[in-house]
Amino acid sequence: MERLRSLIRDVPDFPRPGIVFKDITLLLGDRIAFTAAVSALAEPYRDAGVDIVAGIESRGFILGGAVADRLGAGFALVRKEGRLPSTRISQAYSLEYGEAVIEMHADAIKPGERVLIVDDLLATGGTAGAAGALVDRLGGDIVGFAFLIELSALGGSAALGGRPYTALLRTNTDGGIA
Ligand code: AMP
């Protein structure tokens, strides 16, 4: 965990003033840290009978694809609006200013499949909550949510509908990673 923590870079004022962006590219590029992160993300769900991992664009694709492989599960894409080619369902959610929309293919998940939702970071929970709503609408059974980082002060876990979630690293009150 110490190695993971040291490989997450804070980038102040990106992509907008006032946001401290948690840049995980150094972690992804480190073969020991990347393998350890994927193992730790997958571990709590090893015996959960996960059929399919739903990864949120774009860093959730990288981590979620690797977690799916580790769990012997399939992979479903949760993408930003307008990027999926076939018949899709959409879910809007609130941002600080305005709205965003994410989508899944209508046939990405079969009713009753056990789904693990993966993203790099939980902030306000809007994105992950909307991904959960898409999986619910497709009839998937959400086993849990797995994140690398939780910005705890934002209380985003409240948006996850009381379902299980795990985060490998949590920020403390001064914005550093605890
Ligand atoms: P939210 O919907 O507020 O929970 O935001 C989560 C999504 O936005 C995730 O897909 C993250 O990759 C991205 N995100 C939000 N805040 C940050 C941040 N401070 N650093 C890096 N990514 C972020």
Side-chain angles (χ1 to χ4, degrees):
M1 285 304 151
E2 196 46 52
R3 189 179 185 118
L4 299 190
R5 203 172 288 124
S6 72
L7 291 169
I8 294 169
R9 176 164 52 197
D10 279 1
V11 183
D13 300 319
F14 184 88
R16 291 189 308 281
I19 304 284
V20 179
F21 191 84
K22 300 287 182 189
D23 173 21
I24 65 164
T25 55
L26 294 174
L27 187 159
L28 296 177
D30 182 296
R31 63 196 180 102
I32 294 172
F34 182 53
T35 304
V38 172
S39 297
L41 284 166
E43 181 55 35
Y45 305 99
R46 190 162 292 286
D47 300 318
V50 175
D51 296 305
I52 187 159
V53 170
I56 302 175
E57 185 173 6
S58 59
R59 290 174 295 278
F61 289 175
I62 301 164
L63 297 169
V67 168
D69 179 61
R70 205 60 70 86
L71 293 175
F75 184 79
L77 289 76
V78 181
R79 296 211 68 177
K80 291 166 187 158
E81 190 174 26
R83 295 187 178 173
L84 286 168
S86 189
T87 307
R88 55 202 165 263
I89 63 167
S90 305
Q91 185 74 37
Y93 62 99
S94 300
L95 298 174
E96 199 180 352
Y97 300 103
E99 267 202 344
V101 174
I102 53 172
E103 299 181 327
M104 294 182 78
H105 273 153
D107 56 3
I109 286 167
K110 296 172 196 64
E113 279 191 316
R114 292 173 66 75
V115 184
L116 174 65
I117 297 174
V118 174
D119 202 0
D120 65 327
L121 185 141
L122 177 66
T124 66
T127 312
L134 287 170
V135 172
D136 285 339
R137 287 166 57 194
L138 293 175
D141 176 8
I142 299 174
V143 170
F145 295 80
F147 304 96
L148 198 54
I149 306 163
E150 176 184 8
L151 304 186
S152 314
L154 298 179
S157 60
L160 306 180
R163 291 174 281 213
Y165 81 103
T166 49
L168 301 189
L169 302 166
R170 293 191 161 82
T171 56
N172 55 30
T173 45
D174 69 6
I177 292 192

